[in-house]
């Protein structure tokens, strides 16, 4: 992907992000001046924490190669903070907007193998996973949406946004989720992650045959010897067995 994408595809990405925002805006949030002041103060504290962490790592002599992991952890906290949007509200138990989403460890491991984990954009997905597990589906989708705003050319975040919108919508592959997966495929047409996770979303929605088509493509794009290729092949075989038991049609 060349730098020209920003001229030719940037507007398209902005339009897709606008669609995604509408899809996850389940309800509005009250906002007043006190919220604004508290939010600014909260961000100042987060910036200060980041600066203090950098100084502490430098003083301790921690290798720079490990700084990315610490930065990713801070990003998770910042993303979750921003998604909640109300720094000034009094403390109260978190209320889930729906039932918790099952985030399976084997799927996060597959995602990490395909897309990486300790990266700036990957941190948004880790934060989203935590919010989804708690039942905060809207916040979980918002976190990934914020990441896609920050990294509009991120294969990781467009793939994750398709998954997050599907989770937000109760497992359905809505038009907004489909558009997010398609954008990920446009950004990296030879990468197996977008078709694999699009296929997973369709399988979880009950559309096994469409999911199978995406998984076949993901398998074809997976280099031999990669740790995730066997996982795709095993899931595809299990899916074929399920489809074989279904009535024709």
């Amino acid at each position: 992907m060349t730098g020209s994408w920003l001229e030719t595809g940037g507007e398209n990405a902005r339009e897709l992000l606008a669609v995604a925002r509408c899809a996850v805006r389940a309800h509005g949030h009250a906002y007043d001046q006190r919220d604004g002041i508290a939010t600014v103060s909260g961000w100042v504290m987060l910036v200060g924490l980041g600066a203090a962490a950098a100084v502490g790592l430098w003083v301790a002599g921690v290798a720079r190669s490990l700084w990315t992991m610490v930065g990713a952890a801070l990003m998770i906290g910042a993303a979750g903070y921003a998604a909640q949007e109300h720094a000034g509200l009094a403390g109260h138990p978190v209320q889930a907007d729906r039932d918790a989403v099952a985030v399976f460890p084997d799927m996060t491991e597959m995602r990490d193998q395909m897309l990486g984990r300790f990266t700036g954009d990957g941190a948004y997905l880790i934060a989203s996973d935590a919010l989804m597990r708690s039942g905060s589906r809207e916040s979980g989708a918002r976190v990934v949406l914020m990441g896609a705003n920050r990294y509009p050319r991120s294969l990781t975040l467009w793939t994750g946004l398709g998954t997050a919108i599907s989770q937000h919508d109760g497992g359905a592959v809505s038009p907004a989720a489909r558009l997010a997966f398609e954008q990920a495929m446009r950004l990296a047409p030879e990468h197996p992650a977008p078709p694999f996770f699009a296929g997973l979303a369709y399988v979880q929605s009950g559309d096994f045959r469409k999911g199978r088509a995406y998984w076949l493509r993901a398998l074809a794009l997976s280099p031999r010897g990669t740790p995730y290729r066997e996982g795709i092949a095993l899931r595809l075989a299990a899916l074929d067995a399920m489809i074989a038991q279904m009535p024709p049609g």
Side-chain angles (χ1 to χ4, degrees):
M1 203 46 78
T2 64
S4 64
W5 183 90
L6 289 173
E7 287 78 35
T8 61
E11 187 62 35
N12 183 44
R14 284 190 287 272
E15 292 172 358
L16 290 174
L17 287 168
V19 171
R21 285 190 203 98
C22 292
V24 301
R25 191 179 294 128
H27 49 77
H29 296 287
Y31 184 86
D32 61 22
Q33 186 176 17
R34 289 176 300 172
D35 282 334
I37 294 171
T39 300
V40 170
S41 299
W43 282 113
V44 169
M45 292 175 64
L46 283 169
V47 171
L49 178 61
V55 171
L57 291 170
W58 178 74
V59 171
V62 175
R64 285 185 178 271
S65 60
L66 298 178
W67 286 32
T68 303
M69 296 172 62
V70 178
L74 290 172
M75 181 68 74
I76 294 170
Y81 172 86
Q84 298 300 328
E85 295 184 346
H86 295 290
L89 294 179
H92 59 84
V94 174
Q95 297 295 321
D97 40 58
R98 267 187 259 175
D99 292 338
V101 174
V103 180
F104 297 105
D106 58 336
M107 285 296 99
T108 57
E109 182 180 359
M110 288 273 288
R111 187 183 70 198
D112 294 345
Q113 291 171 349
M114 291 183 180
L115 299 169
R117 179 176 177 84
F118 296 108
T119 60
D121 48 3
Y124 288 93
L125 300 189
I126 299 173
S128 177
D129 288 345
L131 290 164
M132 291 292 185
R133 287 191 189 98
S134 73
S136 299
R137 298 190 184 199
E138 184 183 356
S139 295
R142 281 177 178 271
V143 164
V144 188
L145 184 57
M146 284 167 22
N149 271 303
R150 181 175 177 83
Y151 301 104
R153 295 178 62 185
S154 170
L155 158 69
T156 296
L157 286 167
W158 282 105
T159 302
L161 185 58
T163 299
I165 294 174
S166 295
Q167 291 171 331
H168 173 271
D169 294 341
V173 184
S174 63
R178 179 175 52 80
L179 287 171
F181 285 127
E182 289 175 353
Q183 176 67 359
M185 293 178 208
R186 278 192 289 270
L187 288 170
E190 301 303 316
H191 199 289
F196 174 75
F197 286 100
L200 179 63
Y202 278 109
V203 168
Q204 291 175 336
S205 75
D207 193 339
F208 296 153
R209 290 182 171 86
K210 183 167 283 189
R212 181 181 187 275
Y214 279 104
W215 278 2
L216 279 172
R217 175 161 177 75
L219 183 64
L221 292 173
S222 299
R224 294 188 180 278
T226 52
Y228 53 80
R229 193 176 197 278
E230 182 180 359
I232 296 174
L234 289 172
R235 286 169 176 80
L236 186 57
L239 182 61
D240 281 342
M242 290 178 62
I243 292 174
Q245 300 301 316
M246 296 170 59

